Amino acid sequence: MALLNVLVAPDPRLKVKAKHVDIVDDEVRRLMDDMLETMYAAPGIGLAAPQVGDARRIIVIDIAHDDEPKQPLRMANPEILWRSDEETTYNEGCLSLPEHYADVTRPREVRVRYLDHQNEIRELHADGLLATVIQHEMDHLQGVLFVDHISPLKRNIILRKLAKLKRSKVPEPA
Ligand code: NI
């Protein structure tokens, strides 16, 4: 396994629409595992492939607390089958928007279909935090960040701060 470089916004690679995965094979499984390792190290509770510069429809999630056994979810081609009318609001963060948080309102429950790490089709009913994280990570596959759900004013403040922070740092290796 390997730690991957997580892209920080603003970055054009975070704005692309990710591509369908044909089959979850060893190469995709390796990427999923590397993404999980990267997410745990950050630490974070979700990560989407575009955040590590891979424009494929792959996300990983684990919302278990530190003192609980790990519950990793590996999803390729996630698809929302149903969303509740009832909504819930969480103060969201994102590894691509480090140190920034904002309240985002989304459907409280979702039913999602995906390919798991064994290339098996699965369905999952999620509510609360898990439903929010699934929707947040799926947004990344459309080139959408949580700041795209808040006011343009707040969004621009966050993106400008991050752009400034990036300019003050040594450029990333290619
Ligand atoms: Ni994110």
Side-chain angles (χ1 to χ4, degrees):
M1 296 219 282
L3 285 181
L4 306 169
N5 182 43
V6 178
L7 302 175
V8 171
D11 188 304
R13 290 168 289 181
L14 293 170
K15 303 304 291 177
V16 301
K17 192 166 184 289
K19 293 197 176 69
H20 183 86
V21 176
D22 290 327
I23 182 172
V24 178
D25 56 10
D26 284 345
E27 188 268 331
V28 171
R29 269 190 286 280
R30 199 172 314 122
L31 174 63
M32 288 169 157
D33 286 341
D34 288 346
M35 285 170 61
L36 276 171
E37 191 183 3
T38 302
M39 181 191 84
Y40 288 132
I45 57 175
L47 189 65
Q51 294 180 272
V52 294
D54 192 312
R56 285 182 288 181
R57 305 187 74 77
I58 297 166
I59 63 176
V60 296
I61 293 170
D62 192 339
I63 62 161
H65 290 284
D66 290 345
D67 55 353
E68 293 172 343
K70 286 186 167 45
Q71 292 170 34
L73 280 169
R74 303 164 174 88
M75 301 183 176
N77 304 331
E79 201 186 333
I80 302 268
L81 302 175
W82 172 84
R83 32 172 79 76
S84 63
D85 291 333
E86 196 188 338
E87 296 182 317
T88 187
T89 301
Y90 277 97
N91 195 244
E92 296 191 17
C94 180
L95 296 179
S96 293
L97 299 155
E99 313 284 311
H100 292 279
Y101 302 88
D103 282 350
V104 179
T105 299
R106 303 179 187 270
R108 190 196 145 85
E109 294 174 67
V110 292
R111 183 155 194 89
V112 62
R113 179 163 58 203
Y114 60 98
L115 276 179
D116 73 3
H117 61 295
Q118 310 277 30
N119 201 47
E120 300 283 340
I121 298 172
R122 292 196 178 273
E123 283 187 22
L124 174 71
H125 183 100
D127 72 358
L129 179 61
L130 182 57
T132 286
V133 178
I134 289 170
Q135 293 172 84
H136 172 120
E137 300 312 327
M138 285 181 66
D139 269 358
H140 279 294
L141 306 180
Q142 302 300 117
V144 173
L145 303 174
F146 82 73
V147 287
D148 294 314
H149 292 283
I150 64 178
S151 77
L153 181 70
K154 283 188 194 160
R155 174 164 64 244
N156 288 336
I157 290 171
I158 291 175
L159 291 176
R160 246 184 266 130
K161 278 186 184 161
L162 287 170
K164 198 174 160 194
L165 190 73
K166 282 170 92 171
R167 281 198 301 274
S168 70
K169 280 187 180 164
V170 181
E172 297 165 17

